[in-house]
């Protein structure tokens, strides 16, 4: 596969590796971006795979809690300007309220919202505001107590990051945990609920890194145990150092508070969507030629 300059730039941006190292990694892995990131990590040339953070979607995440059920919905717009529009925010609040009675995204889109379905309401708003919009995601959480938190709220109950936490125990502590989740973005509640494929992939990367050191297998095995324990403490909520008191893990803080965290949801606007980068110089040249 031909390795393009754009591919090399993307890998450099996501890993911080040098240009020649990035090019070699892509060459060695036949242009497979994920495999190239792992190759760089095994050679000690990338600290970790960084998320690019470039997203095509603007919009808002809204949260609603009623009794022991909480919902979070992501409604996208093309620009942040529209996300700040009171008319758009009013629609998002209505969609979040409708989500309380919906089982999933499909049933939410069909749900009634003032005499129209949610899908028809969004389509009507597209016509009046003149910008494309979509209800991208919905997630629900149930528990003895469910608390919500919105980071950098644009309006009541909505912002760029929305978090729900289900727990047995004090709602005040639950809100602190929700703020922690907004900041640290854990991959799962605990080790048992972490995707086995993610664990195995990390283990293989760590094995390759350890082998590069040239140490004996017995030493490597001990290194892997320690490194995987560190990995778990970074990506699982209960294993992370609690933002409110870094001397304690979240699990230890929960125990101290007499609480049990049973689940969480974190939605961030546009995560997982790559924004198309405009080549400004090429655009200017194109206009000049026209």
């Amino acid at each position: 596969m031909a390795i393009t300059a754009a591919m090399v730039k993307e890998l450099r941006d996501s890993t911080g590796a040098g240009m020649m190292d990035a090019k070699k990694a892509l060459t060695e892995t036949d242009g497979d971006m994920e495999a190239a990131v792992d190759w760089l990590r095994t050679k000690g040339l990338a600290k970790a795979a960084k998320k690019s953070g470039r997203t095509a979607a603007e919009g808002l995440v809204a949260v609603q809690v009623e009794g022991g059920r909480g919902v979070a919905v992501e409604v996208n717009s093309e620009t942040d300007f529209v996300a700040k529009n009171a008319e758009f925010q009013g629609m998002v609040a209505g969609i979040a309220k409708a989500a309380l009675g919906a089982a999933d995204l499909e049933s939410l889109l069909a749900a009634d919202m003032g005499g129209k379905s949610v899908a028809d309401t969004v389509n009507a708003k597209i016509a009046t505001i003149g910008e494309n919009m979509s209800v991208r995601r919905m997630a629900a959480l149930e528990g003895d107590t469910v608390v919500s938190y919105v980071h950098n709220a644009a309006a009541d109950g909505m912002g760029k990051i929305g978090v729900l936490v289900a727990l047995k125990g004090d709602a005040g502590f639950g809100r602190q945990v929700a703020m922690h989740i907004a900041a640290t973005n854990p991959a799962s509640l605990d080790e048992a609920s972490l995707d086995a494929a993610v664990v195995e992939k990390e283990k293989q990367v760590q094995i390759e890194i350890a082998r590069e050191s040239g140490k004996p297998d017995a030493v490597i095995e001990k290194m892997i145990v320690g490194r995987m324990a560190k990995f778990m403490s970074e990506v699982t909520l209960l294993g992370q150092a609690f933002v409110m008191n870094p001397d304690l893990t979240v699990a230890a803080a929960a125990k101290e508070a007499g609480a049990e965290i049973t689940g969480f949801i974190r939605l961030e606007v546009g995560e997982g969507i790559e924004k198309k980068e405009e080549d400004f110089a090429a655009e200017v040249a194109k206009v000049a030629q026209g």
Side-chain angles (χ1 to χ4, degrees):
M1 180 180 178
I3 308 303
T4 66
M7 289 166 70
V8 173
K9 182 181 183 300
E10 183 182 341
L11 186 59
R12 286 185 68 195
D13 289 346
S14 67
T15 62
M19 184 172 69
M20 295 310 293
D21 291 327
K23 187 173 182 181
K24 186 173 182 188
L26 286 163
T27 303
E28 291 286 333
T29 57
D30 199 27
D32 185 320
M33 197 64 67
E34 268 196 52
V37 170
D38 290 342
W39 187 92
L40 286 168
R41 290 186 65 198
T42 63
K43 303 297 180 187
L45 299 170
K47 291 178 183 177
K50 287 189 264 178
K51 298 275 173 70
S52 66
R54 298 169 303 170
T55 53
E58 295 294 343
L60 292 167
V61 169
V63 294
Q64 283 271 345
V65 176
E66 196 172 86
R69 177 178 165 83
V71 292
V73 294
E74 178 186 357
V75 184
N76 295 140
S77 59
E78 286 182 49
T79 63
D80 190 48
F81 180 76
V82 164
K84 292 172 182 173
N85 178 300
E87 195 179 336
F88 177 78
Q89 291 175 356
M91 179 187 75
V92 172
I95 292 170
K97 198 168 181 183
L100 282 167
D104 52 29
L105 182 59
E106 189 178 352
S107 60
L108 171 59
L109 292 172
D112 178 71
M113 190 174 157
K116 284 183 187 174
S117 70
V118 168
D120 287 344
T121 301
V122 172
N123 286 334
K125 200 63 73 179
I126 291 170
T128 58
I129 291 182
E131 187 168 305
N132 193 27
M133 302 169 200
S134 68
V135 184
R136 182 182 174 218
R137 292 185 290 173
M138 169 195 156
L141 186 66
E142 295 185 1
D144 285 18
T145 300
V146 177
V147 298
S148 65
Y149 169 70
V150 173
H151 186 63
N152 286 345
D156 188 35
M158 64 185 79
K160 293 297 182 184
I161 300 173
V163 178
L164 297 169
V165 175
L167 75 158
K168 295 174 182 175
D170 178 52
F173 174 71
R175 180 171 169 78
Q176 289 187 336
V177 173
M179 293 170 75
H180 169 100
I181 291 165
T184 63
N185 193 13
S188 71
L189 176 65
D190 52 23
E191 190 172 339
S193 55
L194 188 60
D195 186 343
V198 171
V199 176
E200 184 56 32
K201 182 181 175 184
E202 182 64 22
K203 189 175 181 180
Q204 290 307 313
V205 168
Q206 293 299 342
I207 287 170
E208 289 304 316
I209 291 172
R211 280 180 181 157
E212 289 282 327
S213 70
K215 290 184 169 62
D217 287 350
V219 175
I220 286 175
E221 281 182 32
K222 288 179 182 176
M223 288 170 67
I224 299 307
V225 170
R227 288 178 179 183
M228 289 307 294
K230 184 175 184 292
F231 173 70
M232 292 301 172
S233 73
E234 291 170 350
V235 302
T236 64
L237 172 61
L238 296 181
Q240 289 178 336
F242 192 32
V243 168
M244 307 298 172
N245 182 0
D247 291 335
L248 296 176
T249 62
V250 173
K255 188 175 181 181
E256 198 172 89
E260 180 190 349
I261 303 162
T262 56
F264 74 89
I265 286 166
R266 180 188 187 278
L267 292 189
E268 182 171 351
V269 170
E271 60 191 344
I273 303 176
E274 284 273 330
K275 182 184 280 182
K276 182 182 175 185
E277 282 197 294
E278 300 294 339
D279 186 335
F280 185 66
E283 189 67 26
V284 170
K286 188 177 175 183
V287 171
Q289 286 167 5

